[in-house]
Amino acid sequence: MRKLPQFIFFVFHLLFIGFAIFESQQQLFQLTALILITSLLLYFYTKHISKKKDSTNHEIHLETIFFVIAGGLATFLLQDQLQLNAVLSAGIIGLTGGVLPKLTDHRLASIASPAIYCGAFVGMTPAIVAGNYIFILLASFSAACILILLRGDFKGYAGKLGTIAFAGVSLVSLLTYFLL
Amino acid sequence: MFLLLIIGCSLFAGLSTYFLNNRLNLGAVIASSLMSILGGFLSYMPLSEVLREALPLVIMGASFVGMASEKIAGSYRLITLSSVFFGILFYCTGIFFEGFGGSLGTTAAIAFCSSLGFQELFLKERF
């Protein structure tokens, strides 16, 4: 259970790059580059997982769920209604969340900032893939649960929020694929 | 040529975000979102369709590399290496996960973790 966060990250990274390798079988440059990077990634995980974790307890903030969903829906809304591109929409919503800790000392501001940006990544999913707001709501909810689970892990690592958003979107896509 | 352009943009976005984040202390979210807004405006520039679609994604994705904290990344060297890896990964995987929320962040995370692996394996610097 203690290694669960590392395991979640490992699985989604491996799925992502594994799929890319599978799709690149015909292109030698791509295949070579991806295999080399995968080897380095596997080396990283063997070292990282064997490392001892600090025993700091991180409080669970259920408000995170609200902020991730708000970020996801707001980004999707900007894309869907104002026809802004996904990058600009996520940037605007991310910046709005990012300035909150600079404007107020309220304890929720520092929780809201990364949570809103994580939700914004979920909301970048275009309407053609997401279909509707319910998909974004469910994917944001899944991402928020994973964010809470990983709250003390991979702190300061690049791409943490994006991986969490990807996990949320993948899980809901898989669910809708099997159920609908 | 396209690969070099992607790596160039990736280096610019990754290093600039890291500078804004850790040197100017703007924080990771503000630094990355500012870079994303800059990248997002490229879609409205008179560029070829391929560049208008790819460059904003490269700039935003590489800005996630720059979100790494100084405590973990330690130096610009690691961010440089991660940004190059991000460029290569984007070139190789860009189309497979197009439209999937979080795919750029996952690419950035893979690039960053691989760079940490490279650093420990070849430069004997522990992460």
Side-chain angles (χ1 to χ4, degrees):
Chain A
M1 193 67 184
R2 215 162 48 89
K3 304 278 184 193
L4 184 66
Q6 284 113 314
F7 183 70
I8 293 173
F9 252 60
F10 178 67
V11 166
F12 279 99
H13 285 173
L14 214 61
L15 278 176
F16 185 94
I17 207 153
F19 184 75
I21 288 174
F22 180 76
E23 290 288 319
S24 304
Q25 287 178 49
Q26 306 301 321
Q27 292 127 326
L28 189 64
F29 171 76
Q30 268 105 321
L31 193 63
T32 313
L34 288 171
I35 287 173
L36 285 175
I37 289 176
T38 308
S39 311
L40 292 170
L41 184 72
L42 290 173
Y43 181 78
F44 164 80
Y45 273 110
T46 52
K47 290 285 174 182
H48 189 271
I49 288 174
S50 64
K51 263 186 168 183
K52 276 187 184 167
K53 269 187 64 188
D54 60 1
S55 54
T56 321
N57 274 324
H58 295 270
E59 218 180 310
I60 292 176
H61 298 286
L62 289 177
E63 298 91 337
T64 304
I65 297 174
F66 168 78
F67 292 122
V68 176
I69 291 174
L73 290 176
T75 306
F76 191 69
L77 187 87
L78 287 183
Q79 277 197 87
D80 194 37
Q81 298 297 315
L82 301 184
Q83 309 297 324
L84 292 182
N85 67 55
V87 173
L88 196 55
S89 307
I92 291 168
I93 298 302
L95 187 62
T96 310
V99 295
L100 287 179
K102 307 271 180 200
L103 298 176
T104 170
D105 288 334
H106 197 283
R107 69 172 186 95
L108 284 180
S110 57
I111 301 164
S113 177
I116 289 174
Y117 206 29
C118 181
F121 302 151
V122 175
M124 284 177 76
T125 310
I128 198 163
V129 176
N132 54 38
Y133 286 84
I134 308 282
F135 179 95
I136 299 296
L137 183 81
L138 292 174
S140 302
F141 178 77
S142 311
C145 294
I146 300 169
L147 183 59
I148 290 172
L149 189 70
L150 298 180
R151 66 196 177 280
D153 290 274
F154 293 98
K155 267 195 140 178
Y157 278 72
K160 176 183 171 176
L161 297 175
T163 304
I164 292 170
F166 180 72
V169 173
S170 304
L171 288 175
V172 176
S173 299
L174 215 63
L175 205 70
T176 48
Y177 177 78
F178 284 116
L179 294 181
L180 301 176
Chain B
M1 190 63 196
F2 185 54
L3 175 64
L4 287 179
L5 186 65
I6 287 176
I7 292 176
C9 285
S10 177
L11 279 168
F12 164 74
L15 292 169
S16 306
T17 308
Y18 188 75
F19 177 78
L20 293 172
N21 176 18
N22 292 299
R23 290 285 178 271
L24 299 188
N25 290 316
L26 287 183
V29 175
I30 294 183
S32 168
S33 52
L34 279 176
M35 201 51 66
S36 301
I37 291 172
L38 183 78
F41 278 119
L42 284 180
S43 299
Y44 304 101
M45 296 289 163
L47 299 167
S48 72
E49 199 181 333
V50 178
L51 295 183
R52 264 191 287 127
E53 279 180 15
L55 294 188
L57 295 172
V58 174
I59 289 175
M60 184 184 205
S63 81
F64 302 151
V65 169
M67 285 177 83
S69 77
E70 204 167 17
K71 199 177 154 197
I72 304 289
S75 66
Y76 281 97
R77 187 175 61 190
L78 189 81
I79 299 299
T80 306
L81 186 63
S82 304
S83 300
V84 172
F85 279 0
F86 176 85
I88 295 170
L89 278 169
F90 183 87
Y91 181 77
C92 298
T93 66
I95 51 162
F96 304 144
F97 295 97
E98 206 177 331
F100 238 73
S103 61
L104 290 173
T106 309
T107 310
I110 292 171
F112 186 72
C113 294
S114 310
S115 305
L116 285 171
F118 180 92
Q119 186 172 261
E120 175 148 344
L121 189 62
F122 297 106
L123 307 174
K124 305 293 175 203
E125 284 180 24
R126 286 173 166 253
F127 50 84

